[in-house]
């Protein structure tokens, strides 16, 4: 008994001393940053303003089956005008977008996709995504991400990548990630090897107590950072993006790794967007967010308008997100 | 903090190895832990077991380990030593070292490093409803509170534990 006790004590003491953190691998970081440098930050707010404008005149999506509640105005969802705007934006950049219609009737999902084909491993796809459906003007939720996706799509055309970059604006996220779920179920995600998903990335505040804690996570009380969330499958990529961001001072970033696939009680709040279904499928995915209703007082309200966003904060975030996508897609010389 | 941790380990070792005339109790328990620091959140509710050594009726050292579900699968080991009342009702107060491993939510450092594992916390634990007979022991509603680096807090509770004397 004494021997066992001594052995246990030695083992535990050794464990405490030896389990030191490890630094992430920095391979590919220098070339990924060149993509971030090509992001034109002044392109972002005009997209958001256009989306807010067209949504004001758009017809509402049939919300049958979805009960409207406080902070969930199901009967105020629009998407048709946003679909058209994203399609036209891709065409203007030189892409040939496809609109993948999934489901039938008034709640069919219209996912708009465009690809920048990889040079050496084109069959491996890196997804860059955000949802295009929105309540009211939806400036932060989620015109901010659509604008980011469009600007990254424009910026990457100056570069060659090993892997294919696929940009997808998912539909009906607000009805429970309907567009992305159907996209995966229909087999469109079978060639996706990694994903970057954005949902609300443009609201910041420097006021004390402007940031609430997210369940299972202790955050600073000033909401001036972008949250990057990975899971076990994307942990190394999360580390690498964090190191890249730190090395180049792109944005104020807080990075989190959720346990396993992320679908546990204390981390379930991290599943609240289209990346959640990718995590379920085992696809490494990074999720960028300003934490939505844990910070933004305009969340799902008519006041979620472009003037409430912080353009500089958004611009810094888009550079970091562009670098994250480029890192996985592997920039070629 | 590290000196305190080492002192606790040494006290535990001394309590276990000090004398040959001690009583041993092995038990099963239902426990829960919530650990939260600036870098790590982990814990949940689960089951486990432990061994208790009692020296001269009052001095006790115990080791318990359990698996928790709630934020993935977390593993917790606890080394404790302290003082208990003699008799049928044996409330105890213990100093405890908690070592936490397994799945958790992590916040990375600015340069991308993950927090070290295991996380640890030192603190106090109380067992106000611990009862003992010549056959075994029953304890309900034990609770503990510990501190760890990065403003860590570790809340521990045991709903029920049942053990046998051997």
């Amino acid at each position: 008994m004494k021997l066992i006790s001594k052995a246990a004590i030695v083992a535990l003491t050794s464990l405490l001393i030896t389990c030191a953190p490890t630094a992430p691998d920095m391979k590919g970081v220098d070339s990924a940053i060149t993509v971030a440098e090509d992001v034109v930050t002044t392109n972002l707010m005009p997209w958001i303003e256009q989306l807010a404008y067209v949504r004001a005149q758009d017809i509402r999506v049939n919300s049958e089956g979805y009960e409207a509640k406080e902070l969930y105005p199901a009967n105020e969802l629009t998407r048709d005008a946003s679909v058209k705007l994203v399609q036209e934006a891709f065409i203007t950049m030189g892409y040939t977008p496809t609109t993948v219609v999934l489901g039938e009737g008034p709640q069919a999902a219209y996912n708009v996709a465009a690809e920048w084909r990889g040079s050496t491993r084109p069959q491996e796809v890196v997804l860059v995504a955000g949802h295009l459906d929105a309540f009211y003007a939806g400036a932060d939720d989620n015109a901010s991400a659509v604008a980011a996706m469009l600007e990254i799509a424009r910026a990457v055309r100056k570069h060659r990548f090993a892997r294919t970059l696929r940009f997808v604006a998912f539909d009906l996220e607000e009805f429970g990630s309907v567009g992305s779920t159907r996209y995966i179920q229909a087999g469109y995600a079978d060639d996706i090897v990694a994903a970057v998903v954005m949902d609300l990335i443009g609201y910041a505040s420097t006021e004390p107590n402007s940031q609430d804690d997210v369940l299972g996570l202790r955050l600073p009380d000033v909401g001036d950072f972008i949250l990057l969330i990975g899971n076990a499958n994307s942990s190394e990529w999360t580390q690498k993006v964090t190191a890249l961001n730190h090395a180049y001072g792109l944005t104020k970033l807080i990075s989190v790794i959720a346990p396993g696939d992320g679908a546990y009680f204390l981390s379930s709040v991290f599943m609240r967007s289209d990346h959640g279904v990718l995590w379920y499928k085992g696809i490494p995915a990074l999720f960028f967010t300003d934490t939505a209703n844990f910070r933004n007082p305009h969340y799902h309200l008519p006041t979620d308008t472009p003037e409430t966003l912080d353009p500089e904060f958004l611009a810094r975030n888009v550079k970091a997100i562009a670098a994250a996508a480029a890192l996985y897609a592997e920039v070629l010389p | 903090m590290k000196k305190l941790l080492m002192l606790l380990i040494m006290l535990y070792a001394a309590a276990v190895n000090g004398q040959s005339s001690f009583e041993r109790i092995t038990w099963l328990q239902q426990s829960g832990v919530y650990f939260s620091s600036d870098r790590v959140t982990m814990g949940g509710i689960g089951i486990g077991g432990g061994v208790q050594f009692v020296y001269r009726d009052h001095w006790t050292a115990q080791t318990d380990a359990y698996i928790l579900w709630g934020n993935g699968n977390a593993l917790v080991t606890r080394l404790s030593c302290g003082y208990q009342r003699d008799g049928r009702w044996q409330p105890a107060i213990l100093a405890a070292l908690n070592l936490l491993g397994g799945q958790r939510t992590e916040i990375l450092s600015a340069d991308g490093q993950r927090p070290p594992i295991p996380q640890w916390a030192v603190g106090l634990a109380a067992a106000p409803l611990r009862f003992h007979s010549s056959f075994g022991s029953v304890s309900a509603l034990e609770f503990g509170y510990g501190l760890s680096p990065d403003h860590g807090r570790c809340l521990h509770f045991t709903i029920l534990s049942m053990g046998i004397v051997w």
Side-chain angles (χ1 to χ4, degrees), chain A residues 99-325:
Chain A
T99 301
V100 183
V101 183
L102 297 165
E104 294 176 351
Q107 289 178 357
Y110 293 77
N111 300 319
V112 184
E115 282 189 357
W116 186 238
R117 194 162 170 79
S119 298
T120 57
R121 282 172 284 161
Q123 73 283 6
E124 297 180 12
V125 174
V126 177
L127 175 73
V128 179
H131 71 85
L132 55 71
D133 55 312
F135 297 125
Y136 307 109
D140 194 23
D141 185 9
N142 195 24
S144 60
V146 174
M149 184 196 69
L150 292 174
E151 178 51 23
I152 295 168
R154 191 202 59 76
V156 299
R157 292 178 68 87
K158 294 182 179 176
H159 300 268
R160 290 171 63 242
F161 297 88
R163 296 183 167 112
T164 295
L165 280 157
R166 181 182 299 157
F167 301 93
V168 180
F170 285 121
D171 192 13
L172 300 185
E173 186 272 346
E174 300 290 5
F175 280 175
S177 297
V178 171
S180 54
T181 301
R182 290 180 187 167
Y183 189 82
I184 289 167
Q185 287 173 341
Y188 288 98
D190 290 352
D191 53 0
I192 293 174
V193 296
V196 175
V197 177
M198 304 163 273
D199 202 350
L200 300 102
I201 58 167
Y203 184 86
S205 172
T206 53
E207 295 294 317
N209 303 315
S210 55
Q211 178 68 53
D212 292 337
D213 278 344
V214 176
L215 175 69
L217 198 59
R218 199 185 288 173
L219 294 173
D221 68 353
V222 177
D224 60 352
F225 58 89
I226 190 81
L227 191 66
L228 161 59
I229 305 170
N231 66 355
N233 274 339
S234 52
S235 60
E236 286 182 23
W237 188 19
T238 306
Q239 283 188 267
K240 210 165 170 176
V241 169
T242 307
L244 179 157
N245 180 73
H246 180 67
Y248 288 93
L250 296 177
T251 191
K252 188 168 183 182
L253 179 74
I254 290 183
S255 301
V256 173
I257 297 176
D261 65 4
Y264 297 107
F265 173 68
L266 283 177
S267 55
S268 55
V269 72
F270 304 146
M271 305 287 285
R272 282 175 49 186
S273 193
D274 294 311
H275 68 291
V277 290
L278 297 163
W279 281 3
Y280 275 130
K281 191 173 165 60
I283 297 170
L286 304 185
F287 178 50
F288 288 88
T289 181
D290 61 25
T291 73
N293 53 311
F294 294 96
R295 177 189 306 172
N296 190 340
H298 309 291
Y299 177 73
H300 285 187
L301 292 174
T303 53
D304 182 11
T305 52
E307 57 273 19
T308 65
L309 302 188
D310 181 335
E312 288 183 14
F313 174 70
L314 173 65
R316 291 194 298 272
N317 297 340
V318 176
K319 283 178 177 283
I321 294 164

Side-chain angles (χ1 to χ4, degrees), chain A residues 19 21 216 218 239 255-257, chain B residues 36 41 106 108 110 112 114 117 151:
Chain A
C19 286
R218 199 185 288 173
Q239 283 188 267
S255 301
V256 173
I257 297 176
Chain B
S36 173
T41 302
E106 301 172 315
L108 304 184
R114 300 176 76 158
I117 288 295
H151 307 104

Side-chain angles (χ1 to χ4, degrees), chain B residues 87-154:
Chain B
R88 188 170 293 273
W89 176 45
Q90 292 188 341
I93 183 87
L94 302 150
L97 164 65
N98 296 277
L99 297 170
L100 301 97
Q103 291 179 303
R104 66 252 166 216
T105 303
E106 301 172 315
I107 294 184
L108 304 184
S109 65
D111 61 353
Q113 295 195 41
R114 300 176 76 158
I117 288 295
Q119 292 286 301
W120 56 271
V122 289
L124 294 173
L129 298 174
R130 186 180 281 183
F131 299 94
H132 183 266
S133 76
S134 56
F135 301 107
S137 71
V138 175
S139 183
L141 304 179
E142 296 183 10
F143 56 91
Y145 184 77
L147 300 173
S148 82
D150 298 319
H151 307 104
R153 304 278 185 273
C154 182

Side-chain angles (χ1 to χ4, degrees), chain B:
Chain B
M1 200 67 160
K2 280 198 173 171
K3 284 181 182 171
L4 182 63
L5 193 149
M6 293 308 294
L7 180 65
L8 199 61
I9 292 174
M10 288 166 67
L11 279 173
Y12 176 83
V16 171
N17 295 319
Q19 298 289 331
S20 59
S21 59
F22 57 76
E23 182 182 59
R24 304 181 189 97
I25 302 168
T26 304
W27 74 87
L28 291 173
Q29 64 190 24
Q30 294 171 304
S31 293
V33 169
Y34 181 74
F35 178 88
S36 173
S37 75
D38 293 343
R39 303 287 308 279
V40 171
T41 302
M42 62 192 304
I45 294 174
I47 56 169
V51 184
Q52 180 189 7
F53 307 91
V54 182
Y55 170 58
R56 289 188 178 170
D57 301 327
H58 289 292
W59 299 99
T60 177
Q62 62 187 58
T63 305
D64 50 1
Y66 28 99
I67 184 165
L68 305 166
W69 301 278
N71 199 29
N73 303 317
L75 300 164
V76 178
T77 300
R78 195 169 53 145
L79 306 177
S80 329
C81 53
Y83 187 84
Q84 67 178 30
R85 182 182 180 273
D86 189 23
R88 188 170 293 273
W89 176 45
Q90 292 188 341
I93 183 87
L94 302 150
L97 164 65
N98 296 277
L99 297 170
L100 301 97
Q103 291 179 303
R104 66 252 166 216
T105 303
E106 301 172 315
I107 294 184
L108 304 184
S109 65
D111 61 353
Q113 295 195 41
R114 300 176 76 158
I117 288 295
Q119 292 286 301
W120 56 271
V122 289
L124 294 173
L129 298 174
R130 186 180 281 183
F131 299 94
H132 183 266
S133 76
S134 56
F135 301 107
S137 71
V138 175
S139 183
L141 304 179
E142 296 183 10
F143 56 91
Y145 184 77
L147 300 173
S148 82
D150 298 319
H151 307 104
R153 304 278 185 273
C154 182
L155 294 168
H156 169 270
F157 65 94
T158 295
I159 301 163
L160 182 69
S161 73
M162 300 181 73
I164 54 166
V165 176
W166 53 283

